[in-house]
Amino acid sequence: LASVMRDAVLRETKCERVGIMLPASTLFPPVLFGVLWAKKVAIPLNFLLAGDELAVVVKDAGIDLIVTVGHFRESGAGLPARLLCLEDLPLKRRMVFSALRRVPRAPTVDPDATAVILYTSGTTAEPKGVELTYKNLHGNAADAIHSLRIDSEQTFLNVLPPFHVFGLTGTVLVPILLGAT
């Protein structure tokens, strides 16, 4: 699915940054990695914000495309960006064809380049974008693995919101880095 998302993102936007408005689910990781594989900066969006608050984040982030699901179609309709709902893509067909063709190599990235921008909750002021590099993301996940003394035998349940650094690190990046279920 990540390679299919990569192709969709490359086709749908020329913008450097792509919004991701998805719940904690099995869809989030392949969309995240598809965006990164397309050499775009991923911006997980807090779908719990009010519409006007979310619009401020979308405008500040400078994105023109939000990858989402139909559940968020109504709340995303007023945002200053196009919505790409996963249900609207012929994913099954594309996934079959992508399995038959050679998958391109993952791109080489600068470890110090921005990979993800997470927005603060804005409890005391407007939300602010916090840039995380590839090195930051890897370091956060590796430190969590080391500190918690966990290994690939662990099984993870992703219930934390992936737009938060703890949810992104603990339930998306750590299991992937470990190769865990």
Side-chain angles (χ1 to χ4, degrees), residues 5-163:
M5 286 312 308
R6 170 195 165 267
D7 295 345
V9 166
L10 288 172
R11 189 175 47 257
E12 296 291 332
T13 186
K14 300 294 182 220
C15 187
E16 177 188 337
R17 299 172 175 181
V18 176
I20 304 173
M21 190 162 55
L22 294 171
S25 69
T26 57
L27 293 174
F28 188 86
V31 170
L32 171 69
F33 285 100
V35 169
L36 296 176
W37 197 356
K39 290 193 160 187
K40 307 290 184 181
V41 176
I43 303 173
L45 298 171
N46 182 347
F47 50 81
L48 300 174
L49 292 175
D52 57 335
E53 295 170 318
L54 193 52
V56 168
V57 169
V58 169
K59 184 177 178 188
D60 182 69
I63 59 178
D64 70 348
L65 179 70
I66 299 170
V67 179
T68 191
V69 288
H71 179 76
F72 296 124
R73 191 182 312 265
E74 187 177 316
S75 59
L79 298 176
R82 291 178 299 115
L83 298 181
L84 176 63
C85 291
L86 295 176
E87 295 91 337
D88 297 341
L89 296 173
L91 290 178
K92 288 181 183 177
R93 182 174 179 210
R94 287 187 182 158
M95 286 172 64
V96 168
F97 285 121
S98 72
L100 297 175
R101 68 180 166 88
R102 188 167 171 244
V103 176
R105 284 190 132 157
T108 302
V109 295
D110 175 359
D112 294 317
T114 300
V116 173
I117 299 175
L118 294 176
Y119 275 78
T120 62
S121 62
T123 52
T124 58
E126 294 288 320
K128 293 171 185 57
V130 179
E131 296 185 32
L132 297 172
T133 66
Y134 289 92
K135 191 184 334 181
N136 292 143
L137 296 176
H138 182 269
N140 289 347
D143 287 347
I145 291 166
H146 176 77
S147 297
L148 297 172
R149 298 183 186 135
I150 54 178
D151 58 32
S152 62
E153 297 301 311
Q154 307 299 312
T155 300
F156 291 80
L157 175 63
N158 185 6
V159 295
L160 297 172
F163 56 76

